[in-house]
Amino acid sequence: MARLIRTEKEVEGRYTEQWIVVEEDPLDRWPEGPLEVVGRPAARVDGLQRARGEARYTADLALPGMLHAAVLRSPHAHARVRRLDFAPALEAPGVRAAVGPGDCDVLVEEAGYQGAPVAALAADTFSEAQAALARVGVEWEVLEPLLDPDEAVSRGELIEEASRYERGDVERGLAEADVVVEAEYRTATVLHNALETHQAVCEWEGDELTVYISTQWIWGVRKDVAKRLGLPPDKVRVVCEYMGGGFGAKIDPGDHTYLAAELARRTGRPVRCALTRREENLASGNRHATVQRLRAGAKADGTLTALEGEFTMAVGWDGFVSSTAGPMKMLYGCENVRTVELGAKLTTGPNDAFRAPGFVEGTFGLERLLDELAAKLELDPLELRRRNGADADPVDGRPFSAKNLAECYRRAEPHWARRGEVRARSEGPWRRGVGLASQVWYGGGGPPSYAWVRVGSDGRATVLTAMQDIGTGTRTAMAQIAAEELGLPLERLSVSLGDSSRGPYAAISAGSSTTPSMGPAVRAAAADAARQIVEIAAQRFEVEERVLSLRGGRVVSEDGKSWALEDVTGLLEDGQILGKGSRGPNPAGMRVLTFGVQVAEVAVDVETGEVRVERIAAIHDVGRVVNPLGASSQVEGGIIQGIGHTLSEQRLLDPGSGRALTVTLDAYKLPTIADVPEIVTELLDVPDGHLTSLGSKGLGEPPIIPTAAAIANAIRDATGADVRSLPITREEMLRALREARERAYAL
Amino acid sequence: MTELLVNGGRHEVHGSVLTTLAEVLRGHLGLTGTKVACGEGHCGACTVLLDGAPALACITLLEAVGEREVTTIEGLRDHPLVDAFVRADAVQCGFCTPGQIVSAAALVRETPAPTREQVRHAMAGNLCRCGTYPKIEEAISTWQG
């Protein structure tokens, strides 16, 4: 019977309450450790399609009669359109339609950042559309840019009201401290640069709109597009079969989707709107820069007595303020904490979620501060962290559903113990050292999410759910979970996803939530199908249901008899067995979080300021690991992105005009294969005993969180220099070395 | 009208003096395995072989190809590297993967058992934002089984 319950839902730290319907009785939890399929390394079920170039991405879609849009974007950081004349552009070869402010509400008259969309047109080919853009008559009134976040705050230019948090008494905590450290840390604006740019193809059939889109959330796009266009949601179909990376910036439909929909409506033809790489680096979102003014007080034994932070985020023209104070509130059991988060409204491109938004930046500041504190206390940095562990959520006292950070620290010891040997390998100008940093993040997922499982008479099964695989390997994880429950080898499973008209509602692929949200629904659907198979077999072979189970593609009886699955399902000929499942609630009154620690080894050339990362050991606890092979890839990918924003990536603006200088991939420095250190991944792989029948949490974000701080702390270990600004350019490295030398002379 | 030799077949294609090889492969011949991610020769996603040597299709003009044979990922689908990439999990979102495999195929044809440094040198022009690099190294070091 359906039970209606109220439960808490979390995405990237934003909690909401909602009603859900729970139909099934909870399933037994699987035992710990590798099972038949779950917990064992599996190559991706769609690996061949992707590797052979057969997978069709949104970028590869060519519909009959399809037109191509090009978008006129502001060349100025801040400007107003005085006059817009489409007439010459409409006469250009191939042009079919043009739209400006007033025609589509994503087009603006006041451009608040370079790249803000002002007008768009559709033509037979993309090059014709681009050529016609140059013929649009446009007159700009250039306005004053505002680029400095501190200046914006002092002028009161905030995106939203300041967010304040306080527990205990920070003044008392500081007064009781034996040691106080304070420092200012900065992180740069960094760009997602998924290799498939933001794009959509929109096609109208009558009053029904199909949106083919590179997205992290099929159902979110469906809901937003329907709402904005005034359509019933079931008139909007959203398709994303293969997706070329998102990292947080492809959650909303985006301006391009609304432009494609409007141009398609006007022309009666399908329209593609795809950002170029340069547009991608101006107008598709970014991780906002931060300025963090932090203070910590501690007793001589290392007990934290106070943590205080003022965080200013360079949000841009719009976008949300990422929770940069999160780690300071959540990571340590300090009684006295006060934070304020200020989101500066600037004439720069909008902030968007980027792999653990806020926590990457905030962990850099907090975990650097902890190492500066450890140095002053002459305490081992690992020991300092151990002494300040939180047994319950420090924010509201809730018990954790599971917390194994202490075990992560224990597993980090052998890596941490390499310090002496690593330092001893310093030679000439190259100084070597080891640093570590801890990680806290969400990642529990939540309801609602649904899946169906279809078993055919040939004994093969298909998982159907309208989720998306953005490259994380969730298609494979879902196949593994269903295979485990059905007792089938992985090769007898298919997964059909990526189309809102081909399966039920599914969760967002963000916030490290896909596997913990979808996995339990898929398992429940497979269990529903498995139950029906057992019931059919019991009747056909005249045995009791309770002695039957599904294993190795067979229905197995306790007395040793067994029948091939297809001998049972084959009875049905064209008939199918249909299972359905849904995601149940998260544990009431508990805090579901992920934890981990990374240990970095670096080499620093103290003459040139060159920094090389030589080794990173990553130890994370994300509950049960469904696919250890895919999981290690997630960890490596997170760390490599982390190395990028630690050492080389930053969006640079011309300080006078506010125009971006880093819009191409030769100017914006992504890590290459030559920048990758040795990476050692250790996942605890202990199911969270309170979280769903699966006990799995998400792994997309945790690995990127501590990387920058671990590297910067290793630099301190190697050289005694405190780097406080990301990326750690040679200038920053040499500045920190100079400061350390001056500090040494002064003593 | 230009004659183009692609994956062992001859094709008559039309293009202006500014038409790129990537446009012809993807748009005219339907060979969408060649991806375009930056369109200006910075990322390697569009890598194809011209007479066996890696080239960036997005900045190679059709007119400049001449008599050289073009090999795209579609012409390398049965190369053992493809399986090696899948086995090693050197595929995340997969958008850069065809270009990676084409570059790797050129490398192992010259140097069947490359050193780590040779792999890093030959593959440094193929960006992967998902960070599959360690698995790419593994795939290239195990491609012969």
Side-chain angles (χ1 to χ4, degrees), chain A residues 204 209 211 224-232 236 257-258 261-262:
Chain A
W204 290 92
L209 174 66
V211 181
D224 287 358
V225 168
K227 192 173 168 194
R228 198 139 170 183
L229 302 188
L231 296 167
V236 180
T257 301
Y258 295 111
E262 179 58 24

Side-chain angles (χ1 to χ4, degrees), chain A residues 187-208:
Chain A
T187 63
T189 299
V190 292
L191 304 169
H192 300 71
N193 270 313
L195 281 202
E196 184 183 35
T197 59
H198 284 65
Q199 49 196 293
V201 176
C202 287
E203 180 179 38
W204 290 92
E205 289 166 294
D207 62 350
E208 296 189 10

